[in-house]
Amino acid sequence: MNKEEIAALPPKIEIAIKAGRAAADACADDGGSANCDRVVIPMPGVRESWVKGLRGYLQQANGWHCRGFHLDTPFAGIGNRRYAGVQAMHKSLKDQGVACYVWYQMD
């Protein structure tokens, strides 16, 4: 991902967060596991300074994943509501042409 692509991300992320918030609010049942689900945008070779101001954090690469930007999930819910919100964020970003995936971390 280059600097121009990163500069185009903020409005796309805001649209995705709105979609996630709506999906989480529509999910009445917050049962299920308290997983740490979140959307990740792969950013191999990207410097920390390039993503300053974006809503999330840049994780270092490890043996299983390339360096990626983990988006904030600023909506209520830790179980089914969080899952619904994160899935909506993922779909929104994919529909906007952003390469991303969902990170699942079990508790």
Side-chain angles (χ1 to χ4, degrees):
M1 182 166 272
N2 61 38
K3 287 184 181 181
E4 292 78 26
E5 292 169 323
I6 293 170
L9 282 177
K12 294 177 181 182
I13 291 172
E14 290 306 316
I15 291 168
I17 288 173
K18 286 180 185 175
R21 198 173 277 138
D25 289 345
C27 185
D29 176 26
D30 195 28
S33 179
N35 298 333
C36 295
D37 306 345
R38 52 190 174 268
V39 177
V40 179
I41 301 171
M43 293 189 176
V46 169
R47 296 174 188 253
E48 189 98 25
S49 62
W50 294 8
V51 296
K52 192 169 188 146
L54 290 182
R55 295 180 68 166
Y57 67 93
L58 194 60
Q59 181 185 26
Q60 295 297 325
N62 61 44
W64 292 293
H65 300 279
C66 71
R67 187 170 189 151
F69 189 77
H70 291 244
L71 297 179
D72 286 342
T73 51
F75 43 80
I78 59 170
N80 294 339
R81 291 185 75 192
R82 183 177 178 109
Y83 175 83
V86 168
Q87 291 299 318
M89 287 177 65
H90 178 253
K91 182 181 181 326
S92 174
L93 286 170
K94 291 294 253 187
D95 290 349
Q96 295 178 73
V98 178
C100 59
Y101 62 92
V102 177
W103 170 283
Y104 299 101
Q105 182 173 327
M106 304 299 178
D107 57 343

